[in-house]
Amino acid sequence: MSRISPYISLARWNRPIGIWLVMLPCWWGVALASQSYPDSCLLLLFLIGATAMRGAGCTINDLVDRDIDAKVERTRLRPIASGQISGFQAILFFAAQCLIGLWVLLQLPITSQIFSLIGFLLLFVYPWMKRITYWPQLVLGFAFNIGVFVGWTAVAKLEPVSILFPICTYIAGIFWTLAYDTIYACQDQKDDILVGVKSTALKFKEKTKFAVTIFYLVFLLLLLQIINSFILMIPLFLFTGYLVWNLKTDDSANCLKIFKLNQWLGLLVFIALILSKRCLNV
């Protein structure tokens, strides 16, 4: 077990929140395109794919950031930064996870495969963005939420009229990611300044809570265009209000707690999409 533990930590399988955040946009896309309840087998397939791709993304991220992670208190014990896993071992592990992702990919239509590959490339680019821009969270939003199109095209076709639904949901997801990953970045502000990396938390500084509030508000207003039901949106507005009200951007433990609660917000979106009866007949 001691040999396996570093790999579990490297892929963050012991912290499943990231799997949720990759998987849920795929589930949103499936819910949007399904005529009735989503296919449970397809949802399971996206769970497997999200687990593999999130793990692969974490592996590449830690490989690229190994020198930075070693200087940051919260990340200095990560397997690569601490020397528990070598660079070569990390590459082999990355390849193994990609093979699982490839198996999932081959079960999907060609259009879904194309969107998946776009998302993978964006995820691969993401670790370098914190070195050149204060908006790496935006790139992460582009990458994570591409699953909306993957899920949609696994069920339906992208047609001139119906394409507006996944596009609007995709943009909503990007603002959701901007909100929750800005909250996550608040944990590392002091260390990020010391090592010279950037984030939206450093961009907005004392106005971070206001910025997060705006991100969440845009997210909800865009979803309202899709769900088109104030009754179904009430739980989303209330839950989001709870997150913002209780957010303390100068408290690392609080930021981590609020960040993790976003998995339930994403699940509420999935349920609302199913119940909204706005799924298209294709």
Side-chain angles (χ1 to χ4, degrees):
M1 185 65 184
S2 59
R3 292 185 178 182
I4 299 175
S5 294
Y7 291 96
I8 293 175
S9 179
L10 178 58
R12 313 286 200 277
W13 292 334
N14 56 333
R15 298 179 180 179
I17 173 65
I19 297 172
W20 281 88
L21 297 178
V22 173
M23 177 189 71
L24 282 167
C26 299
W27 282 18
W28 295 352
V30 173
L32 273 171
S34 299
Q35 298 183 45
S36 56
Y37 289 102
D39 183 345
S40 58
C41 291
L42 188 57
L43 298 181
L44 177 60
L45 195 65
F46 282 126
L47 170 59
I48 296 171
T51 302
M53 288 299 93
R54 189 262 183 151
C58 289
T59 302
I60 283 295
N61 184 78
D62 286 10
L63 194 58
V64 172
D65 287 349
R66 58 189 181 276
D67 294 332
I68 293 175
D69 286 346
K71 301 174 184 177
V72 176
E73 180 63 28
R74 186 177 62 84
T75 60
R76 63 184 179 82
L77 295 180
R78 283 180 175 175
I80 299 176
S82 61
Q84 299 175 65
I85 294 177
S86 68
F88 180 69
Q89 290 173 321
I91 291 172
L92 290 179
F93 185 51
F94 169 76
Q97 292 174 96
C98 286
L99 286 176
I100 297 174
L102 178 62
W103 174 80
V104 172
L105 201 65
L106 293 176
Q107 314 306 309
L108 302 174
I110 184 65
T111 312
S112 298
Q113 293 176 11
I114 293 171
F115 279 116
S116 295
L117 290 173
I118 293 172
F120 179 75
L121 290 174
L122 288 169
L123 201 60
F124 191 81
V125 168
Y126 165 71
W128 281 273
M129 292 298 101
K130 67 185 72 174
R131 293 164 169 80
I132 62 176
T133 177
Y134 281 104
W135 293 89
Q137 283 71 28
L138 182 60
V139 178
L140 189 68
F142 289 148
F144 272 22
N145 293 284
I146 202 76
V148 171
F149 294 111
V150 178
W152 175 278
T153 53
V155 178
K157 297 179 181 179
L158 286 176
E159 297 175 347
V161 176
S162 63
I163 195 175
L164 295 175
F165 288 94
I167 287 176
C168 192
T169 308
Y170 176 64
I171 297 172
I174 290 172
F175 279 95
W176 179 47
T177 303
L178 279 169
Y180 69 65
D181 206 51
T182 298
I183 294 170
Y184 186 80
C186 287
Q187 300 176 88
D188 299 327
Q189 291 182 82
K190 293 180 180 179
D191 289 324
D192 286 349
I193 292 172
L194 289 175
V195 299
V197 296
K198 303 174 182 179
S199 71
T200 43
L202 291 179
K203 171 71 175 177
F204 295 111
K205 298 179 181 177
E206 69 277 359
K207 296 180 180 179
T208 296
K209 185 168 182 174
F210 176 74
V212 167
T213 302
I214 296 300
F215 293 151
Y216 273 132
L217 182 59
V218 175
F219 160 67
L220 292 171
L221 291 176
L222 286 169
L223 283 179
L224 182 58
Q225 308 309 307
I226 302 299
I227 295 173
N228 199 29
S229 167
F230 284 107
I231 294 177
L232 291 176
M233 287 296 298
I234 287 174
L236 298 179
F237 275 102
L238 290 176
F239 194 86
T240 305
Y242 171 83
L243 297 182
V244 172
W245 182 263
N246 289 281
L247 176 62
K248 301 175 182 177
T249 57
D250 57 350
D251 183 336
S252 295
N254 171 268
C255 289
L256 182 60
K257 176 185 175 182
I258 299 298
F259 165 74
K260 288 182 177 180
L261 287 174
N262 275 273
Q263 67 184 25
W264 304 113
L265 177 57
L267 189 60
L268 284 174
V269 173
F270 175 62
I271 294 170
L273 287 170
I274 294 174
L275 298 178
S276 68
K277 303 187 183 300
R278 286 297 301 264
C279 298
L280 301 179
N281 295 316
V282 294

